[in-house]
Amino acid sequence: MFEVKDVAAGSAANNHGIKKGDKIASINGQQLIDYIDYVYFSAQERLKIKLFRDDQLLTFRIKKDDDEDLGLDFIQPLMGAKRVCANKCIFCFVDQLPRGMRTSLYLKDEDWRYSLIMGNYVTMSSIDKSELKRIIKRRVSPLYISVHTVDEALRRRMLGNGNAVKIRPLLKKLKRSGISFHAQAVVCPGVNDEEKLEETISFLAGLHPACKSLAVVPVGLTEYRGKLEEIKAVTKQQAAKTVNMVERWQQECLNRTGTRFVFAADEYYIKAGLPLPGYESYEAFEQIENGVGMMTKFLHEAGQSRLEAKGHLSVATGVDAFGFFKEIADGALGRIDVYSVCNKTFGSSVTVSGLLAGRDYLEALRGKQLGGKLLISADSLKDGKVFLDDMSLDELESGLGVKIIPVTDGYHFAQVINED
């Protein structure tokens, strides 16, 4: 049973007399396993809720709008303990972390429930029949699935899991059952690229519309791989070849299904020295959390306003985005200094802003004339407060002696630039 911590004012639960301290026994005759069950059953229009109040079993009948939030918050975390990953992926970023980072970063997540709620990618490599049946029965959509390759033997080798659930039958079953999903392929040069990537794109495109989109992402390599399998970084030539493959498939999918379906991460275009695709090319930006279309979207949003800095200010960003921000600054009025921050925490091969630690900003910017405020990417922070190395935003502000503003998107960036 789950004990009610709070009842939202004006909610359906509040209006029908459910109170703080009540313990939910069942909804429509079903006991709740976790948050997925709560959302699934409470989304219905007519609810029969049994609960205990002071050891007395009470029944409440509630009629509400379909999908209207019931309005309950619980004392117990409805998800319970996180389900951790049993794989030993050859490219696992967690295994490449240095010491001294934020503690939560070392947890390997493999929980399909967080995939549904937060968009986390999971391999589904250890899903058992009962959990798969529950996913289908609860109509869980969309999931976010790390496919990487549809060559079963190669996938098991990449996951370091000889018992991994076969991906092709799993994805076909999800499609037959009406479950939709987004997919990603983290591409390791010489492993699952070229012909293997072609095979993966072809198979997943054949599962559309159940497979809603596919992100092709280059492997991230730090300087802390230790005894892990050697993986080479993506070269300029390989990046260009991957972009060409993706764009060829985009045209084919667009002609066939009306969507481009497969998208290459921004890193591929930057590494290849190719111009980023236009804003419309990313359609609904459904893979933006994978670094797909992030820079194009930002530039589009920032470009909606005439930029004029009222005083001296600075922008600090990762190596990949430096050129784009320099172009923005050069085209704006007023003084905007742009600084490229090298990633000393993970190594110089990691070039995205979202993986910069507080110490990286501090080392790169200490002693610089930063003006009245410094703009950085909000992606570098957890909850807008703490960097990957546990340095707080306040600590970095104190160390640099400047007001730091984490910007969330291009609109916010332009707003901060234009403020008095």
Side-chain angles (χ1 to χ4, degrees):
M1 291 187 293
F2 292 98
E3 183 176 344
V4 176
K5 179 181 178 181
D6 195 18
V7 184
S11 66
N14 177 254
N15 293 338
H16 286 79
I18 296 179
K19 299 179 180 180
K20 176 181 177 180
D22 289 344
K23 297 177 181 179
I24 306 298
S26 65
I27 298 178
N28 288 349
Q30 300 290 328
Q31 291 186 339
L32 305 182
I33 297 175
D34 54 23
Y35 180 77
I36 302 298
D37 279 356
Y38 170 67
V39 171
Y40 179 78
F41 291 114
S42 67
Q44 299 174 45
E45 185 176 346
R46 295 178 181 273
L47 304 177
K48 180 181 178 182
I49 299 178
K50 290 189 174 183
L51 58 82
F52 283 94
R53 179 180 295 168
D54 298 327
D55 296 325
Q56 182 179 3
L57 181 62
L58 303 177
T59 300
F60 289 79
R61 298 182 184 275
I62 296 177
K63 182 179 180 181
K64 63 180 184 60
D65 293 336
D66 193 27
D67 291 331
E68 177 188 352
D69 183 31
L70 185 56
L72 297 179
D73 188 19
F74 297 93
I75 290 177
Q76 301 92 338
L78 275 179
M79 297 298 280
K82 266 194 175 184
R83 300 171 185 178
V84 296
C85 182
N87 299 326
K88 296 181 179 179
C89 297
I90 62 173
F91 52 83
C92 179
F93 202 79
V94 176
D95 289 340
Q96 303 179 69
L97 292 176
R99 295 179 180 178
M101 307 302 288
R102 198 166 60 227
T103 305
S104 60
L105 297 176
Y106 298 96
L107 177 67
K108 297 182 182 182
D109 175 30
E110 178 64 16
D111 196 325
W112 63 264
R113 299 171 303 172
Y114 284 94
S115 177
L116 171 69
I117 297 166
M118 302 176 66
N120 295 359
Y121 272 93
V122 291
T123 66
M124 304 288 281
S125 58
S126 301
I127 194 78
D128 61 29
K129 291 181 179 180
S130 62
E131 281 291 275
L132 183 58
K133 183 177 180 180
R134 185 164 175 250
I135 287 171
I136 293 169
K137 189 174 182 180
R138 297 290 182 262
R139 301 198 297 271
V140 172
S141 287
L143 291 170
Y144 293 78
I145 301 177
S146 292
V147 176
H148 306 315
T149 179
V150 294
D151 180 314
E152 301 290 0
L154 177 59
R155 186 171 193 263
R156 286 178 170 179
R157 183 176 83 77
M158 292 184 69
L159 297 181
N161 183 353
N163 297 314
V165 172
K166 290 186 176 181
I167 193 66
R168 286 176 181 253
L170 173 66
L171 298 182
K172 287 179 179 178
K173 185 175 182 65
L174 292 178
K175 179 180 180 178
R176 290 195 304 271
S177 304
I179 305 300
S180 65
F181 56 93
H182 296 278
Q184 73 167 354
V186 174
V187 179
C188 303
V191 181
N192 62 329
D193 57 349
E194 299 189 358
E195 293 85 0
K196 293 301 180 182
L197 179 58
E198 192 94 42
E199 179 185 23
T200 300
I201 297 174
S202 177
F203 178 81
L204 293 174
L207 295 182
H208 179 80
C211 185
K212 298 169 72 66
S213 70
L214 168 63
V216 177
V217 184
V219 63
L221 304 173
T222 79
E223 294 182 357
Y224 297 89
R225 289 190 57 79
K227 298 180 179 179
L228 299 176
E229 179 177 330
E230 181 182 0
I231 300 176
K232 295 181 180 179
V234 177
T235 66
K236 181 177 182 179
Q237 183 180 15
Q238 289 169 333
K241 193 171 183 178
T242 301
V243 167
N244 288 337
M245 181 192 298
V246 168
E247 291 187 343
R248 172 169 50 80
W249 271 103
Q250 285 184 328
Q251 190 58 55
E252 181 174 333
C253 291
L254 190 61
N255 293 338
R256 188 171 65 194
T257 64
T259 175
R260 291 170 179 82
F261 176 72
V262 57
F263 304 88
D266 294 359
E267 287 180 73
Y268 274 118
Y269 288 91
I270 295 169
K271 176 69 74 174
L274 295 171
L276 295 173
Y279 184 81
E280 294 77 14
S281 299
Y282 291 100
E283 300 177 5
F285 289 87
E286 290 181 307
Q287 291 277 6
I288 195 164
E289 296 299 325
N290 241 329
V292 175
M294 186 175 289
M295 200 69 238
T296 293
K297 185 173 184 290
F298 188 97
L299 293 171
H300 173 81
E301 293 167 349
Q304 300 303 299
S305 304
R306 179 172 176 267
L307 300 180
E308 182 177 359
K310 302 302 189 294
H312 175 206
L313 56 85
S314 298
V315 176
T317 185
V319 173
D320 278 352
F322 173 75
F324 299 105
F325 281 100
K326 188 69 170 63
E327 185 176 342
I328 291 175
D330 291 344
L333 298 175
R335 182 180 174 184
I336 305 175
D337 293 333
V338 182
Y339 295 96
S340 176
V341 180
C342 180
N343 198 317
K344 299 291 184 66
T345 300
F346 295 116
S348 59
S349 62
V350 177
T351 53
V352 296
S353 300
L355 291 175
L356 289 172
R359 70 184 77 154
D360 297 321
Y361 285 108
L362 186 61
E363 182 173 342
L365 302 174
R366 184 186 278 130
K368 300 287 194 301
Q369 298 297 316
L370 300 175
K373 51 190 173 184
L374 170 66
L375 283 64
I376 66 171
S377 172
D379 291 336
S380 299
L381 294 154
K382 180 182 179 182
D383 300 328
K385 298 178 181 179
V386 182
F387 292 95
L388 293 169
D389 56 355
D390 260 344
M391 180 184 290
S392 71
L393 182 63
D394 290 342
E395 287 173 325
L396 183 59
E397 282 187 331
S398 177
L400 294 176
V402 66
K403 174 65 178 176
I404 301 176
I405 302 177
V407 294
T408 54
D409 55 31
Y411 295 122
H412 187 206
F413 177 82
Q415 177 189 341
V416 174
I417 292 288
N418 292 331
E419 285 176 346
D420 292 329

